[in-house]
Amino acid sequence: MRPLVAGNWKMNGLRASLDVSRDVCSALARGDVSADVMIAPPATLLMAMVGVCAGSNVSVAGQDCHTAKSGAHTGDIAAEMLRDAGATAVIVGHSERRTDHGETSALVHDKAAAGHRAGLMAIICIGETQAERHAGQTLAVVASQLAASLPPSCDARNTVIAYEPVWAIGTGLTPTVDDVREVHGAIRRDLETRFGSAGSAMRILYGGSVKPENARSLMSVAHVNGALVGGASLKAQDFLDIIAVCET
Ligand code: 13P
């Protein structure tokens, strides 16, 4: 399965940061790239980054979308607008959206469907909190988020799952390789039960403190088909080092 390495810039980056995407594009232009590479910048940089990345191996994604095509929703962005701006994908259900904005799996389901409606790939995020892990509820939480967040329109081409344990995001902590194997294996079984062969072919990314130093062991785990990278994607060399690991 061709891996996907996606950088989520979150609420980081001014125009000068476009240089990071420029550096990533030019480094990747020098060789054959055997992974899909994507950056999700803040909305203010999206169109400019599409211009920077035009003709390169790097595609551009939104970080969130509204469920409606248009309308009176101040501050929101429709999936169709992301597509019109040149994005090919949208992240939905990131834990920071679920926490900061009270997003439920039902809303995430509708946002993913909106992404599909607009012709975007939906990167659907799930993951347990520290309290849930300590309570032994990880697999139950992940299964219920997965069941409720994925619309029927999901297929292997338009959907990517990102498993991001909330407690591993931005903390430098990561689950053990055995823990990642257990969760990714459970996600794969759930996807296959619901979507059949499409579920076997859907990529499942790991996210949460992925760095050049730990990427190799995380990416070697069965059913880890790439990475969703936060902080380390803000530095071109770190992001490139992670991409290099995912390719091998
Ligand atoms: P960090 O890589 O900074 O932990 O962020 C992970 C993440 O939330 C990506 O969506």
Side-chain angles (χ1 to χ4, degrees), residues 95-111:
S95 67
E96 288 148 16
R97 302 279 328 163
R98 291 179 188 260
T99 304
D100 294 356
H101 300 272
E103 294 195 2
T104 61
S105 290
L107 179 62
V108 174
H109 168 286
D110 292 352
K111 289 186 172 198

Side-chain angles (χ1 to χ4, degrees), residues 21 25 47-60:
S21 51
C25 289
M47 277 190 75
M49 191 176 287
V50 166
V52 166
C53 297
S56 79
N57 300 318
V58 180
S59 54
V60 179

